[in-house]
Amino acid sequence: MVEADFRSGLDQLTDLGHADFAEADLSFALLEGANLQSANLQGSCIYGANLRSCNLRQADLSGCDLRDTQLQGADLEGACLAGTLLAESQRY
């Protein structure tokens, strides 16, 4: 699903809550504003994707490649980030 466009529109939220994207290639995907609460993204490649303002609460991002991923405004409360790959500038 490289470069997939799942962005939320002005009048409709993209609801991918509880979706299973384990081991998926979501490189450069456009997911800005999407609901990914409790989604399984374990081991996914999300390199260079736009996750701005996403709801990632309780999502499993363990083992994901998040290098160069845009995470500004994303809600990561309770998200599992064990073993994620982050660029030096993304480290918190």
Side-chain angles (χ1 to χ4, degrees), residues 12-30:
Q12 189 160 353
L13 173 71
T14 301
D15 189 357
L16 299 170
H18 300 277
D20 188 353
F21 288 111
E23 304 293 329
D25 187 350
L26 295 169
S27 302
F28 303 102
L30 301 174

Side-chain angles (χ1 to χ4, degrees), residues 7-8 11 18 22 24 36 38 41 60 66 70 79 81 83:
R7 288 174 293 181
S8 291
D11 60 345
H18 300 277
L36 288 160
S38 300
L41 295 155
D60 186 350
L66 295 174
Q70 299 170 43
L81 298 169

Side-chain angles (χ1 to χ4, degrees), residues 4-79:
D5 189 346
F6 292 110
R7 288 174 293 181
S8 291
L10 293 175
D11 60 345
Q12 189 160 353
L13 173 71
T14 301
D15 189 357
L16 299 170
H18 300 277
D20 188 353
F21 288 111
E23 304 293 329
D25 187 350
L26 295 169
S27 302
F28 303 102
L30 301 174
L31 291 151
E32 185 171 358
N35 176 28
L36 288 160
Q37 184 170 348
S38 300
N40 180 8
L41 295 155
Q42 185 177 22
S44 295
C45 180
I46 311 174
Y47 178 87
N50 181 345
L51 297 175
R52 289 181 179 164
S53 302
C54 280
N55 177 359
L56 291 161
R57 297 177 80 159
Q58 306 298 319
D60 186 350
L61 296 161
S62 58
C64 286
D65 183 350
L66 295 174
R67 292 173 297 151
D68 294 326
T69 299
Q70 299 170 43
L71 294 166
Q72 298 89 340
D75 186 349
L76 293 162
E77 184 178 328

